Amino acid sequence: MKVSCREEGVASAAASAAGRLVADGVPARLAAGDPTLWGEDAEAGTPAGPGRRGDPQAPYRGSRELLPELGRLAERARAQGLTHVVLAGAGGSPAAAEVICDTDDVPLTVLDTTDPGQVLRALAEPPDATIVVVADAAGSALETDALLRVYERYFTQAGIAPAERIVVVTGPGSPLEARARESGLQVLLSAPGSGGRVPALSAYTLVACALAGARVERLLDDAGQALPLLSLDTGNPGLDLGAALGGAALGGRDKLLLEDQLSAITGLPGWIEELIAGSTGKRGRGILPVVGADPHRSGDELVVAIESDVGDVRVDGPLGAQFPVWEYAAAVAALLLEVDPFDRPDEAGARDETDALLALPDLPAGAPAFTDGPVEVYGGVTAKDLPGLFAELLHTVPAGGHLSIMAYLDRLAAFDAPVPDGAGFEQLTDAWMMADAATLRALLALRTDRPVTFGWGPRCLHTTGQLHKGGPQNGVFLLITGAAAEDVEVPGRPYTLGRLQLAQALADLGAVETRGRPAVRLHVTDRAAGVARLLAAAQEV
């Protein structure tokens, strides 16, 4: 692994920050899991996390010890013709698994969503070829509970015992462990020390990756080469990267633009976004990761490039080493910002509010301020149409602030867009882009010099959600929901996936509104037509 600061100001800030950390003995203390780094609450025994207390390398050793079991699982799945591997989870593990499998070009279906359309897409695959990994460290996520129930029914209705096709990965003593054992499901427990923020190369990620055919042993080998470096005062890539991130943020450069267009690793910025936002965004502080954006070279931007010279900081190294180095760097940056990287207090609030909404007879959607074709607009706005609304929101973004778009929709729906017969790759790509809600980010980013971020819900609850609610209160929020053409019942629960998804979205919206931030919800009554109208309106601004 190599981290190099290519911009003089960043290099100077990083060197100063690293010098202070080394003087305090931080590299060795962080590598040893010294809890006193994070204050009295952590020292008193709040839940442990990698690098908080205990041995931070334990999760990686635990994953290596798990390799024989992973090999047996994968061999048995291949022998049974189980080629459709599903990972049902929430947080960083699904994002890490996507990076691993996309980089290795092996198929994996990730369900970290409650969108009924996206789940139905996965359920359309033949059950006799499907194996499901349900990964949840705490064992209490609403997404994993709902998806486990849906897949138990899916296999039962196909005449297949769920215990033959569902593998549960969770923490010792979690509610999910008890439920899984009671149902006779296969259970793999995480290694000690994997509490708090789950490391990317833990069992929560690697079980599904191994079943999908990814080279997990190579990942752990590469991580093993990097881990000894993380206790050093010099030649420590995690310290160098964390000092650059934290030092720049202390100097006002708290917008982290991630660039990876030339990298052989696929999709790493999406995982980094979850890591950095969740680790640093609290107590009114934080670093905002921005994925897929072109830099404006404004004073609050820091461009970090993976295997490219286009940024202020360059990070080189194999994927297996990138994971622990970035995890260490996130802890270093949080330490410089004087926040605990393993504490995510605002995520729990969103879950509690979702539970409260689901207990109501009807969800409090409210009345729209206006309707523009297949799009209903909710919130205190003065605009009368969508182009005017977008212009109003962009004008509302304060100096030093950002616009965040959160779409509680099917993130694969764009691939259903009609294309001409015989269309080439470029035509296919154009058709998909103009049916993809994520394109809204790029269109609005062209019309402002402030950062515009985009996240799929409810994934964003576990990624930028902590920073939105606990970080600097300078965001403007645009939340998109959609009517479900076909819904999915959640067995044993008094709600459907569509109702759960909308409740999560409303809880997310309410959380930013209670913090006094401008927030608007757009509801598309017809998803395909609604997304098309949003993209057309953005081009009219």
Side-chain angles (χ1 to χ4, degrees):
M1 283 292 299
K2 182 179 180 181
V3 176
S4 52
C5 293
R6 304 182 62 255
E7 198 266 338
E8 185 176 348
V10 175
S12 176
S16 175
R20 297 195 304 271
L21 295 169
V22 169
D24 290 338
V26 166
R29 292 170 63 194
L30 183 57
D34 182 353
T36 63
L37 286 168
W38 315 115
E40 293 180 359
D41 289 342
E43 188 176 5
T46 50
R52 169 177 258 172
R53 59 180 169 87
D55 182 354
Q57 296 194 27
Y60 292 96
R61 284 200 301 272
S63 295
R64 184 165 291 282
E65 293 166 2
L66 192 62
L67 283 174
E69 178 65 16
L70 295 183
R72 288 190 291 270
L73 273 174
E75 184 177 353
R76 186 160 62 246
R78 284 193 297 269
Q80 294 176 327
L82 304 181
T83 56
H84 180 224
V85 182
V86 177
L87 173 58
S93 296
E98 278 194 325
V99 176
I100 291 167
C101 291
D102 287 349
T103 299
D104 270 1
D105 195 23
V106 295
L108 175 68
T109 295
V110 169
L111 289 180
D112 56 353
T113 182
T114 47
D115 183 81
Q118 196 169 331
V119 173
L120 284 167
R121 189 183 305 276
L123 293 174
E125 297 293 328
D128 57 1
T130 298
I131 184 168
V132 178
V133 178
V134 177
D136 185 347
S140 58
L142 287 169
E143 297 96 307
T144 48
D145 172 74
L147 293 169
L148 174 57
R149 292 171 179 273
V150 167
Y151 267 102
E152 283 180 318
R153 181 181 60 185
Y154 167 81
F155 287 122
T156 299
Q157 290 180 341
I160 300 170
E164 296 178 4
R165 298 296 183 83
I166 298 177
V167 180
V168 171
V169 186
T170 189
S174 77
L176 181 57
E177 181 195 3
R179 185 207 180 302
R181 293 198 187 282
E182 182 179 342
S183 301
L185 305 178
Q186 182 172 350
V187 177
L188 291 176
L189 296 179
S190 63
S194 292
R197 189 193 183 280
V198 175
L201 296 182
S202 68
Y204 301 106
T205 300
L206 295 185
V207 173
C209 291
L211 288 168
R215 297 169 292 179
V216 297
E217 186 169 6
R218 178 177 175 179
L219 289 167
L220 293 172
D221 287 343
D222 289 336
Q225 294 292 318
L227 286 169
L229 304 177
L230 301 182
S231 61
L232 303 178
D233 290 345
T234 59
N236 180 336
L239 176 65
D240 295 341
L241 179 56
L245 298 176
L250 290 173
R253 300 176 69 170
D254 60 353
K255 309 300 187 298
L256 172 61
L257 275 63
L258 296 160
E259 163 62 45
D260 72 333
Q261 292 186 31
L262 300 180
S263 175
I265 301 171
T266 303
L268 187 60
W271 173 80
I272 295 172
E273 179 183 38
E274 184 274 336
L275 170 71
I276 297 297
S279 297
T280 67
K282 56 210 78 172
R283 296 179 61 187
R285 306 163 194 168
I287 298 171
L288 176 74
V290 185
V291 178
D294 293 325
H296 289 284
R297 295 299 173 187
S298 57
D300 59 352
E301 290 181 351
L302 175 72
V303 181
V304 175
I306 311 297
E307 300 179 343
S308 168
D309 285 332
V310 300
D312 304 307
V313 179
R314 174 170 177 154
V315 183
D316 291 277
L319 178 56
Q322 293 271 358
F323 285 131
V325 166
W326 275 97
E327 288 165 351
Y328 186 101
V332 169
L335 184 61
L336 289 169
L337 293 175
E338 298 182 346
V339 298
D340 184 344
F342 308 112
D343 180 28
R344 300 196 177 190
D346 297 291
E347 284 189 11
R351 177 199 160 87
D352 292 343
E353 180 60 23
T354 299
D355 286 335
L357 289 173
L358 288 172
L360 299 174
D362 297 297
L363 294 178
F370 69 86
T371 299
D372 186 328
V375 182
E376 298 173 343
V377 178
Y378 295 81
V381 298
T382 60
K384 302 301 181 183
D385 58 19
L386 284 172
L389 172 68
F390 291 148
E392 182 178 326
L393 288 174
L394 292 173
H395 181 73
T396 304
V397 178
H402 65 279
L403 172 65
S404 286
I405 306 169
M406 299 164 286
Y408 284 74
L409 301 170
D410 177 358
R411 67 185 179 114
L412 301 179
F415 296 117
D416 295 334
V419 295
D421 292 338
F425 180 74
E426 187 172 338
Q427 288 176 292
L428 287 172
T429 302
D430 288 344
W432 293 334
M433 284 186 61
M434 295 316 298
D436 189 353
T439 302
L440 185 61
R441 189 212 66 78
L443 292 175
L444 293 182
L446 290 172
R447 290 154 174 83
T448 179
D449 60 358
R450 301 310 308 148
V452 180
T453 68
F454 182 92
W456 295 103
R459 170 181 283 201
C460 57
L461 290 173
H462 308 281
T463 54
T464 50
Q466 172 59 47
L467 183 136
H468 289 165
K469 302 167 186 69
Q473 293 303 294
N474 55 14
V476 174
F477 299 94
L478 179 62
L479 192 143
I480 307 171
T481 57
E486 186 178 358
D487 212 339
V488 178
E489 292 183 1
V490 180
R493 297 296 189 205
Y495 49 76
T496 63
L497 287 181
R499 179 178 168 88
L500 172 56
Q501 183 186 39
L502 182 56
Q504 289 176 305
L506 294 175
D508 196 6
L509 181 70
V512 296
E513 286 179 330
T514 58
R515 288 160 172 81
R517 299 313 308 155
V520 173
R521 179 170 72 95
L522 308 179
H523 184 75
V524 293
T525 53
D526 177 294
R527 292 199 178 196
V531 168
R533 176 60 192 137
L534 293 178
L535 301 187
Q539 295 176 78
E540 298 172 26
V541 176

